[in-house]
Amino acid sequence: MTSPIVHPLTSLPLQLSVVQKEATDRRLQNVLGAIITSHYASSSPDLADFRSTVRDKDVKQDSSVLSDFRNLVPLTDYEAYRPWVAKFFERPCKLSEVENLLALGLPSYFAASSSTTGSKPKHFARYIGSTGLVRSTQDLVRSSALTGTIAPVFTLSYRDIVDVMTASGEVVKRIPVTIASAGFQRTCEEWTVETDNIRLASVGKYPFGQDATMDGH
């Protein structure tokens, strides 16, 4: 039997295009509402025009903020964020310096790039939950087109840990530096680095984390 020829779409049907735009706008407004009071949003020169325009607007509700953002915020690359992310990797990492830095609170994890565009990986702070954009892995599986038995394979190892400390030296949060998929899975399942050895003691010979792999990656 000859397989049917499938032609890829060059554009979305109008109904799907409307749905996509609404979903994109909703997510963007959620993100803007989550970061607008962060230290980065309050002082970055790249957001100066945007800040002055939306100063008296409700960023979380006013839809005109979306066009303001698209018209006034220039395209940036990683170099615009590097000095901010670097604060997390200072030793010690001080709570007073990094809390509410790029979004409210502290990151769930740092996603490390594969170093394909440089000799060192880039690090991206992921604030999962503060924007309400992430569904649980169970919801993602239920909403997918997959059927039958699903056996996902992934790593939960990390390359480093950022210990965020108070002025008195108390560690208030341990943030893993890992690949994005591992950090995302950890966050969805609420698996912290503090409980790794307890949770996995019965299934692995080696301590979980940096010592669980040959090269720490």
Side-chain angles (χ1 to χ4, degrees):
M1 181 177 178
T2 304
S3 299
I5 298 176
V6 178
H7 298 284
L9 294 174
T10 57
S11 62
L12 289 176
L14 178 60
Q15 184 177 3
L16 287 180
S17 180
V18 171
V19 171
Q20 181 191 47
K21 182 180 184 305
E22 290 176 348
T24 300
D25 287 350
R26 183 173 61 254
R27 286 174 170 80
L28 177 57
Q29 190 126 32
N30 285 343
V31 170
L32 293 176
I35 71 169
I36 194 62
T37 57
S38 68
H39 296 309
Y40 170 76
S42 300
S43 57
S44 170
D46 294 315
L47 299 178
D49 292 340
F50 177 70
R51 281 196 303 271
S52 63
T53 301
V54 303
R55 182 178 295 115
D56 299 322
K57 295 184 179 182
D58 184 346
V59 175
K60 295 182 179 181
Q61 299 295 332
D62 191 336
S63 60
S64 68
V65 168
L66 300 176
S67 58
D68 293 333
F69 177 83
R70 289 167 174 143
N71 293 329
L72 299 174
V73 178
L75 289 175
T76 56
D77 58 20
Y78 187 76
E79 294 308 312
Y81 305 95
R82 188 185 296 276
W84 299 84
V85 175
K87 291 179 180 292
F88 286 102
F89 292 89
E90 295 176 356
R91 296 294 187 269
C93 177
K94 300 178 181 178
L95 177 64
S96 59
E97 295 289 330
V98 299
E99 188 174 26
N100 304 326
L101 188 62
L102 296 171
L104 294 184
L106 295 169
S108 301
Y109 63 94
F110 292 98
S113 72
S114 58
S115 306
T116 54
T117 58
S119 59
K120 296 182 179 180
K122 299 178 179 66
H123 296 105
F124 300 87
R126 301 296 196 189
Y127 292 79
I128 305 300
S130 62
T131 59
L133 299 183
V134 177
R135 294 179 291 169
S136 69
T137 51
Q138 291 86 352
D139 288 341
L140 291 173
V141 170
R142 281 195 293 267
S143 64
S144 73
L146 298 176
T147 59
T149 301
I150 300 173
V153 178
F154 48 82
T155 177
L156 296 176
S157 62
Y158 48 82
R159 303 180 180 185
D160 197 2
I161 297 177
V162 172
D163 287 328
V164 182
M165 298 183 178
T166 63
S168 63
E170 177 189 1
V171 176
V172 295
K173 188 168 185 178
R174 309 196 75 199
I175 308 174
V177 181
T178 181
I179 60 175
S181 59
F184 178 79
Q185 185 69 26
R186 278 179 168 276
T187 303
C188 288
E189 301 294 345
E190 299 181 349
W191 289 345
T192 64
V193 294
E194 291 90 340
T195 60
D196 281 344
N197 284 336
I198 297 173
R199 185 174 54 255
L200 297 176
S202 62
V203 296
K205 175 181 177 182
Y206 301 102
F208 191 73
Q210 286 180 294
D211 295 335
T213 57
M214 294 297 291
D215 59 357
H217 295 277

